[in-house]
């Protein structure tokens, strides 16, 4: 006699929840990495950036570099937490993505096209992390998180 172990079937909602959370995590890791690289470029005062005189939110390029570097490191750490489906990481992911949007909006004159791309990606991250109900998250190992409803 052989015993077969079966896992309860995942519902479509749980699959979407897991997929959107993984999407948000991977995109946040990507945004973090790209922000770290952008920060390093700005700190090194690379010639990629343009200077706009008389900009309302004018900061030194090195200041923007440190801001993007810090946001990038935090975003990468939160993205790693999202891969573990931690609730704190979902909340922190939305907050960090909002800060990334704000920082890219304020530094738009220095690198306009890339700022718009990062704002768009961060908007998708916020959507992916907010659209999934809390009780629908599945662990990436296949175990289900109990519903609170």
């Amino acid at each position: 006699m052989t015993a077969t172990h079966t896992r309860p079937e995942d519902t479509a909602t749980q699959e979407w929840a897991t997929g959107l959370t993984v999407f948000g995590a991977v995109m946040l890791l990507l945004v973090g990495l790209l922000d770290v690289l952008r920060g390093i470029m700005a700190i090194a005062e690379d010639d990629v950036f343009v200077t706009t005189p008389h900009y309302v939110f004018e900061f030194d390029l090195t200041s923007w570099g440190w801001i993007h570097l810090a946001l990038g490191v935090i975003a990468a750490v939160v993205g790693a937490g999202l891969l573990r489906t931690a609730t704190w990481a979902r909340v922190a992911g939305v907050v960090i993505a909002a800060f990334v949007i704000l920082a890219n909006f304020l530094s738009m004159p220095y690198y306009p096209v890339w700022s718009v791309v990062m704002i768009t990606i961060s908007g998708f991250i916020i959507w992916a992390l907010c659209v999934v109900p809390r009780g629908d998250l599945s662990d990436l190992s296949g175990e289900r998180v109990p519903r609170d409803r």
Side-chain angles (χ1 to χ4, degrees), residues 84-139:
R84 304 203 35 91
T85 65
T87 303
W88 67 266
R90 287 182 69 195
V91 173
V94 171
V95 171
I96 291 301
F99 278 130
V100 168
I101 288 174
L102 182 63
N104 279 287
F105 174 75
L106 294 177
S107 64
M108 196 174 293
Y110 299 104
Y111 209 9
V113 174
W114 189 246
S115 292
V116 171
V117 169
M118 293 294 279
I119 288 170
T120 304
I121 292 173
S122 297
F124 280 121
I125 291 168
I126 291 173
W127 171 79
L129 297 178
C130 289
V131 74
V132 178
R134 182 172 166 249
D136 287 341
L137 284 178
S138 298
D139 191 322

Side-chain angles (χ1 to χ4, degrees), residues 15-73:
E15 290 174 10
W16 271 100
T18 302
L20 285 174
T21 303
V22 171
F23 171 79
V26 170
M27 293 305 285
L28 196 59
L29 281 168
L30 180 65
V31 163
L33 175 68
L34 293 174
D35 242 8
V36 165
L37 294 175
R38 181 179 181 180
I40 290 170
M41 286 184 344
I43 291 168
E45 295 186 13
D46 197 355
D47 292 335
V48 171
F49 298 98
V50 295
T51 56
T52 305
H54 309 299
Y55 181 56
V56 175
F57 303 108
E58 187 175 346
F59 282 112
D60 181 39
L61 187 58
T62 305
S63 300
W64 280 121
W66 285 108
I67 290 169
H68 284 286
L69 183 66
L71 280 174
V73 169

